[in-house]
Amino acid sequence: MSFQVFGIPVSRGVAIGRAVLVASSRVDVAHYFIGAADAEQEYARLVRGRDAVTRELQDLKAELPEDAPHELDALLDVHLLLLNDEALVDAARDWIVDRHYNAEWALSAQLEVLARQFDEMEDDYLRERKADLEQVVERVLAALAAEQNESPSGASAVVARDFAGEDPLLLVAADIAPADMIQFKRSVFQGFITDIGGKTSHTAIVARSMAIPAVVGTREASRLIRQDDWVIIDGDAGTVIVNPSPIVLEEYRFRQRQAELENARLARLRHTPAITMDGQRIELHANIELPGDTVAALASGATGVGLFRSEFLFMNREGDLPSEEEQFAAYKSAVEAMAGLPVTIRTVDIGADKPLDRMSVNELRHEHVLNPAMGLRAIRWSLAEPSMFRQQLRAIYRASAFGKVKLLVPMVAHLGEIRQIQETIKRVKGQLDETGQAYGEVLLGVMVEVPAAAIMLPQLLKHVDFVSIGTNDLIQYTLAIDRADEAVAHLYDPWHPAVLNLLASSIAQARAAGKEVSVCGEMAGDAAFTDLLLAMGLTCFSMHPSQIPSVKQRILRADVPRLSAALPRILESDEPAKAALEALTPQSRLH
């Protein structure tokens, strides 16, 4: 039966494929692909986990006191039966062998299949046994995690696999953790669907960086869609079509072919300088998350890296923080790959929607923080962990000996923070001098993403070399909404007059002070805002590499003086989006 699910469109385009469900669990589950040669070894690991839990339950049963309630003994019997039923671990083998899932993912996928079967049972008693099944699975997951911690050996993760001849795969989940997104980023998925999230949630940002369609905030998709259902993701309309009819399927396949032709046309602009019709040169930089992303940045025609999100070096590490040498190697790799083009490295922006693993920093655990977006995150966390902060700064400064490096600090809101940063930099440079380690000149910049920073920008500009405006958080904090919460996602409005005025004034003040200014948030990569940002005087945009061609096309067609003349009308309007559409469209420029 065909049906539709509606959500928030966050990454444009059409994707068609089979659904792959990532089941939610009260226990953290690692999701990664394994090599074909490792399948039997991975299944053996799953069997060892089951056997370990079996022994644990048998020991508990044997140690029950004589006066223990009979129901407790019977409950342990139920758990043992479920644990050793061939429909659980034995059936999970298919996910390992056929789909190349790791053991934890395979077990979670099979749990999802069985849980649906329990939900459809008419007998209340049998239906309630789903909770027992979930408890059994969580015990096995815990046993698998314990084995991994004891022995680092085992099946190796495969980030990308050749699925030639197989159906395209679409990922469906309640939510996708940033740590999992690191694994999925270079894998086989052609699109993402999540129950929660907004336009600037991490899933949305990564989907756009991969140039694949995504719909978030669907609320029920992971419960309505079944494993291997045929699914269409309409990333333009925010619609998910499950088990589509042949006519609908053919219509969307035609749209896919049209989009491929358009992308091929835009790709021809790669080596064309981004110069407006009136002769202004615009810098188009790339946002990256890992050193290897520089390949896509250069392929897209980026003239530098405007944002290296260093926090991704800190995530998905089971609690271990990267050493100075590991960070230095990563930064150096990115700097050398850009071959003299500038690389802006942002200090670790941990917190909010990007927490560290639960085993690492207790104060960042979401269950202990009422509002992580307002808590100990970004520069606040760095200053609270001075040894970690100095370690990262040393690695960044050492990498500056191999190319042009700029240091960007997130979420600054106080002059006192700037002073602490400068003191730490002075100390770090002294340490490097003492040990004879080379470093180059590093420009210091801050992100304008807290309204306080935008309002007090003239004072901040006296102490820094450049600023980068992070529109994602600036919108979130200005409008007091959680950008990852689909319940208020409709209130996330880049066209809000308050947001536009903060943005325009920040750009104008930086330019007046003779300081470099860029926009590195999602607005920079959205071609719908290109003309507006040019009108505000922006000359440096930083975005995901996949977004550069469409933005460059808009720049090549832009006449900045004419756009600037329309800016006051837009900023003074009660409906800026409508005013911009009327004032900035190509037709209006001709009059």
Side-chain angles (χ1 to χ4, degrees):
M1 182 185 72
S2 180
F3 62 92
Q4 297 185 29
V5 179
F6 302 95
I8 303 167
V10 295
S11 186
R12 301 189 63 180
V14 172
I16 303 171
R18 295 278 191 183
V20 174
L21 266 69
V22 175
S24 59
S25 171
R26 284 172 286 182
V27 175
D28 286 339
V29 177
H31 300 93
Y32 56 86
F33 292 106
I34 62 169
D38 293 326
E40 290 303 328
Q41 180 182 350
E42 190 71 359
Y43 174 63
R45 189 167 75 87
L46 178 57
V47 171
R48 288 197 300 274
R50 178 198 61 189
D51 292 345
V53 175
T54 298
R55 289 192 297 272
E56 178 185 336
L57 293 179
Q58 288 172 337
D59 289 343
L60 286 173
K61 184 176 169 63
E63 294 171 3
L64 283 176
E66 293 183 3
D67 58 348
H70 172 71
E71 290 79 9
L72 185 55
D73 182 73
L75 179 61
L76 289 172
D77 285 335
V78 169
H79 281 209
L80 284 166
L81 286 171
L82 290 171
L83 181 62
N84 290 280
D85 192 303
E86 63 180 15
L88 185 59
V89 172
D90 291 349
R93 182 179 183 276
D94 294 338
W95 296 108
I96 296 173
V97 173
D98 297 339
R99 284 288 181 82
H100 296 201
Y101 290 1
N102 65 301
E104 291 87 347
W105 191 358
L107 186 62
S108 297
Q110 187 59 20
L111 169 63
E112 184 74 14
V113 171
L114 296 176
R116 290 180 185 274
Q117 295 177 7
F118 275 99
D119 287 338
E120 294 169 358
M121 292 178 179
E122 295 183 2
D123 185 275
D124 290 343
Y125 175 82
L126 293 177
R127 192 165 57 246
E128 289 172 2
R129 298 286 66 76
K130 184 178 79 168
D132 295 310
L133 179 66
E134 290 172 342
Q135 291 170 10
V136 164
V137 168
E138 287 175 13
R139 281 183 176 271
V140 178
L141 291 172
L144 291 171
E147 181 185 357
Q148 287 288 79
N149 290 336
E150 291 172 5
S151 175
S153 63
S156 57
V158 175
V159 179
R161 289 175 48 217
D162 180 8
F163 273 79
E166 297 186 14
D167 296 325
L169 301 180
L170 309 181
L171 189 66
V172 184
D175 192 17
I176 306 173
D180 278 339
M181 289 302 298
I182 296 173
Q183 299 287 354
F184 294 148
K185 186 174 180 181
R186 293 182 178 85
S187 66
V188 300
F189 298 111
Q190 304 299 307
F192 296 134
I193 304 166
T194 62
D195 294 345
I196 66 175
K199 284 186 177 293
T200 54
S201 63
H202 187 73
T203 301
I205 291 172
V206 172
R208 283 191 290 269
S209 75
M210 296 168 66
I212 63 174
V215 175
V216 303
T218 60
R219 294 179 180 266
E220 298 290 332
S222 69
R223 287 182 284 276
L224 296 174
I225 300 173
R226 296 175 181 267
Q227 293 280 4
D228 287 327
D229 276 349
W230 274 103
V231 175
I232 295 173
I233 299 177
D234 185 338
D236 299 315
T239 305
V240 176
I241 305 172
V242 184
N243 297 321
S245 67
I247 294 176
V248 172
L249 197 59
E250 184 53 38
E251 176 188 344
Y252 275 96
R253 282 181 172 150
F254 174 76
R255 285 178 54 180
Q256 273 188 318
R257 292 191 292 270
Q258 293 295 103
E260 289 168 0
L261 291 173
E262 174 65 10
N263 291 335
R265 186 183 68 80
L266 287 175
R268 293 198 291 269
L269 298 175
R270 183 180 68 174
H271 298 300
T272 303
I275 300 176
T276 63
M277 292 177 64
D278 57 300
Q280 292 192 40
R281 185 180 182 90
I282 308 299
E283 298 296 329
L284 295 180
H285 291 176
N287 296 345
I288 68 172
E289 295 167 350
L290 295 170
D293 295 341
T294 53
V295 175
L298 292 170
S300 70
T303 55
V305 170
L307 177 63
F308 183 160
R309 296 183 171 100
S310 68
E311 56 269 16
F312 285 88
L313 300 175
F314 288 68
M315 298 168 65
N316 206 25
R317 302 177 57 91
E318 298 181 355
D320 293 327
L321 297 181
S323 66
E324 179 181 330
E325 290 304 317
E326 182 180 346
Q327 291 187 65
F328 166 64
Y331 305 144
K332 176 175 176 283
S333 174
V335 171
E336 289 182 328
M338 294 306 292
L341 296 175
V343 176
T344 302
I345 303 173
R346 182 175 69 184
T347 59
V348 59
D349 187 11
I350 288 297
D353 62 341
K354 292 170 291 188
L356 290 183
D357 297 333
R358 292 187 176 185
M359 296 298 292
S360 56
V361 182
N362 290 333
E363 54 266 48
L364 290 179
R365 293 176 64 180
H366 277 227
E367 60 265 39
H368 289 259
V369 181
L370 294 178
N371 190 340
M374 298 287 188
L376 190 65
R377 59 166 295 198
I379 188 57
R380 299 172 180 177
W381 184 66
S382 294
L383 293 176
E385 298 283 347
S387 61
M388 181 284 303
F389 191 37
R390 290 193 299 271
Q391 186 180 71
Q392 181 174 36
L393 291 179
R394 283 195 300 270
I396 292 172
Y397 267 81
R398 289 170 59 193
S400 71
F402 298 88
K404 188 176 181 180
V405 172
K406 299 162 72 176
L407 176 67
L408 181 61
V409 183
M411 206 178 173
V412 169
H414 302 272
L415 283 176
E417 291 169 337
I418 293 290
R419 296 189 185 99
Q420 286 182 268
I421 293 164
Q422 290 173 328
E423 283 297 319
T424 306
I425 290 173
K426 182 179 178 181
R427 181 174 176 182
V428 162
K429 291 169 72 173
Q431 292 173 338
L432 295 176
D433 289 336
E434 290 175 3
T435 56
Q437 297 185 81
Y439 59 90
E441 181 184 4
V442 177
L443 299 180
L444 174 63
V446 295
M447 292 195 71
V448 176
E449 51 191 343
V450 178
I455 294 169
M456 65 178 292
L457 192 55
Q459 292 96 311
L460 291 176
L461 288 169
K462 297 174 184 177
H463 303 276
V464 299
D465 302 302
F466 71 98
V467 294
S468 184
I469 303 172
T471 53
N472 302 350
D473 273 333
L474 183 62
I475 296 167
Q476 170 177 245
Y477 292 127
T478 300
L479 302 183
I481 58 171
D482 184 347
R483 57 191 173 98
D485 185 351
E486 77 279 3
V488 293
H490 64 287
L491 298 175
Y492 185 90
D493 182 13
W495 288 103
H496 193 287
V499 172
L500 297 186
N501 278 278
L502 284 176
L503 188 56
S505 65
S506 296
I507 295 171
Q509 289 175 46
R511 286 172 59 88
K515 301 294 176 77
E516 297 178 28
V517 56
S518 67
V519 171
C520 64
E522 290 299 300
M523 285 178 70
D526 188 339
F529 291 96
T530 302
D531 287 350
L532 179 65
L533 293 172
L534 290 171
M536 291 178 177
L538 189 69
T539 58
C540 184
F541 296 63
S542 188
M543 66 202 74
H544 295 292
S546 64
Q547 298 169 317
I548 289 178
S550 60
V551 171
K552 182 182 287 188
Q553 178 178 253
R554 294 295 290 262
I555 290 170
L556 294 173
R557 298 173 178 176
D559 184 330
V560 175
R562 290 185 179 180
L563 296 177
S564 300
L567 183 61
R569 173 184 168 189
I570 297 170
L571 295 180
E572 294 168 6
S573 173
D574 293 338
E575 298 181 272
K578 181 179 179 181
L581 183 63
E582 295 172 352
L584 302 180
T585 53
Q587 292 80 2
S588 66
R589 296 180 208 163
L590 297 177
H591 297 294

